[in-house]
Amino acid sequence: MREFCIQENDSDQRLDRFLQKTLPELPKSLCYKWIRTKHIKVNRKRCTPDQRLVTGDVVTLFVSDSYFAIKTEEERSGVPEFLQAPNQLEILYEDERILLVNKPVGLVVHCDSRQIPDTLINRVLHYLYENGAYQPEQEQSFTPALCNRLDRNTGGIVIAAKTAAALREVNRLIRENKVHKKYLCVTVGTPKERKATLYGWHKKSASHNTVTVRDTPEEGFQEIITGYEVLASNERHALLSVDLITGRTHQIRAHLAHIHTPILGDTKYGNMRENRACRCKHQLLWAYQLQLETDADSCLADLNGLTVQTPPPPFMTKEFPKVQL
């Protein structure tokens, strides 16, 4: 028999999802069978896979302990992967619920096919572990997580949730477009209008990791909205502030390329001749400002209107040093 007492970071999730996180080696089919045959109970009562857990519930598995003997490679070595990453972070804001960090160019947010442990999430976990905010041995189903992503070669603000409630709430705010993000970028050429809102239709190709933008709706395409303002320009380039109104894969990069002003350094959608001439090997794009819009009954209600901004990115100080944000 095995028992789990539901903690605050375990609550408000379905029973089946709690079990999948807590016992990742347990086959889903066996999990559902045990629930159906009453080998798994909540507070010693019959339960269902979609039952919502609350703090203080006791989940009991009336099965042999041999099912829980499998250890992960991390558990066998005794060294969590996140400790292999540095703990250096540029912190823009922190409280007991969330952490806003300034991601440098070149750092991936999560582990990719290269399996390099130095990722942004591992740096965050290392930092929280050393500060006592994350104690993995005391957690059953929750690990601090990133709420938004940036491409490896895009720098700027990323939100990390330190609690399960904060993770759910920030994800909800993002879905409801209540996390307002502004980006800075340098484009090849200057858009015809100094300030505009672009509307288009977007489709991602998973096999090529690229997207296509159209002016009119087509099957399989989703609407995108991108606002921009030209802050400064010269003969070859322009500095833009961009409002990401809808947040889809490569949206800013593809949308600006679609109006023939691609981002300088962009190797997927950009002007390769200009990239080479400027010796620019990655897109000059930076998530420089973030503002939260929360509700009165939100667990983040006191953060309504919180606005965080990064220092000017390196490409701005180099190409447009006189522009003030």
Side-chain angles (χ1 to χ4, degrees):
M1 184 183 78
R2 180 71 65 94
E3 284 190 344
F4 299 96
C5 184
I6 300 304
Q7 305 172 24
E8 186 175 351
N9 276 335
D10 305 318
S11 64
D12 197 27
Q13 64 178 313
R14 290 167 51 121
L15 171 64
D16 56 352
R17 291 176 182 168
F18 168 78
L19 292 170
Q20 288 160 19
K21 294 175 186 175
T22 308
L23 305 169
E25 302 291 341
L26 181 65
K28 288 185 180 180
S29 58
L30 190 55
C31 173
Y32 289 119
K33 178 182 178 181
W34 282 349
I35 293 173
R36 188 175 64 253
T37 57
K38 296 187 283 187
H39 284 76
I40 297 177
K41 293 186 177 182
V42 176
N43 301 326
R44 299 286 174 140
K45 296 179 181 178
R46 185 168 190 164
C47 53
T48 59
D50 61 353
Q51 180 171 332
R52 288 273 169 181
L53 300 173
V54 299
T55 303
D57 279 348
V58 176
V59 179
T60 307
L61 290 80
F62 295 94
V63 296
S64 170
D65 282 344
S66 62
Y67 284 102
F68 311 104
I70 301 174
K71 290 188 176 182
T72 65
E73 186 176 342
E74 277 188 17
E75 290 172 328
R76 288 193 294 271
S77 67
V79 180
E81 183 186 65
F82 64 79
L83 290 180
Q84 300 175 41
N87 66 347
Q88 291 92 348
L89 293 172
E90 184 180 346
I91 298 172
L92 303 171
Y93 174 84
E94 182 177 12
D95 62 25
E96 69 279 6
R97 301 156 297 181
I98 65 171
L99 180 70
L100 273 65
V101 300
N102 192 15
K103 184 189 87 68
V105 169
L107 182 67
V108 295
V109 291
H110 293 108
C111 189
D112 59 14
S113 58
R114 299 176 302 160
Q115 300 295 312
I116 295 174
D118 187 11
T119 64
L120 182 60
I121 184 55
N122 281 346
R123 289 191 184 193
V124 167
L125 293 175
H126 192 165
Y127 167 80
L128 295 177
Y129 178 79
E130 290 201 343
N131 284 273
Y134 172 49
Q135 299 177 358
E137 68 279 0
Q138 295 183 10
E139 295 290 347
Q140 299 180 134
S141 67
F142 176 73
T143 303
L146 305 180
C147 304
N148 63 309
R149 302 172 62 94
L150 291 176
D151 294 332
R152 185 201 329 203
N153 289 323
T154 298
I157 303 174
V158 176
I159 310 172
K162 298 163 69 172
T163 68
L167 178 62
R168 287 191 294 269
E169 182 63 2
V170 174
N171 285 339
R172 181 185 72 84
L173 295 175
I174 291 173
R175 288 195 304 271
E176 296 179 2
N177 294 322
K178 292 183 178 180
V179 177
H180 307 292
K181 292 172 280 188
K182 287 190 175 183
Y183 290 70
L184 289 169
C185 65
V186 174
T187 59
V188 179
T190 303
K192 293 180 181 179
E193 299 181 62
R194 302 293 293 186
K195 185 176 183 179
T197 300
L198 306 175
Y199 297 86
W201 298 86
H202 168 290
K203 184 178 182 180
K204 179 181 178 180
S205 168
S207 58
H208 296 91
N209 193 28
T210 57
V211 303
T212 302
V213 174
R214 297 280 189 261
D215 291 321
T216 56
E218 295 184 25
E219 185 177 355
F221 283 67
Q222 296 177 300
E223 186 180 27
I224 54 172
I225 307 173
T226 311
Y228 74 84
E229 180 179 5
V230 177
L231 302 180
S233 59
N234 54 36
E235 297 82 4
R236 295 166 64 183
H237 306 137
L239 177 68
L240 272 60
S241 173
V242 180
D243 288 311
L244 189 61
I245 300 170
T246 56
R248 306 205 186 279
T249 302
H250 299 170
Q251 177 178 320
I252 295 174
R253 297 164 61 186
H255 217 168
L256 289 176
H258 183 67
I259 64 168
H260 309 296
T261 51
I263 294 176
L264 181 62
D266 193 337
T267 57
K268 283 185 183 290
Y269 310 100
N271 183 318
M272 296 304 296
R273 178 179 296 179
E274 187 68 6
N275 292 348
R276 288 192 293 270
C278 295
R279 298 182 180 179
C280 192
K281 297 181 179 180
H282 63 80
Q283 65 267 11
L284 302 189
L285 178 64
W286 197 273
Y288 83 99
Q289 187 182 96
L290 182 145
Q291 184 179 68
L292 296 180
E293 178 189 345
T294 63
D295 308 310
D297 58 351
S298 167
C299 66
L300 303 177
D302 58 308
L303 299 185
N304 184 43
L306 174 70
T307 303
V308 175
Q309 188 167 299
T310 73
F315 63 76
M316 177 179 166
T317 56
K318 181 180 179 181
E319 295 213 21
F320 297 94
K322 296 181 180 180
V323 177
Q324 299 296 316
L325 296 176

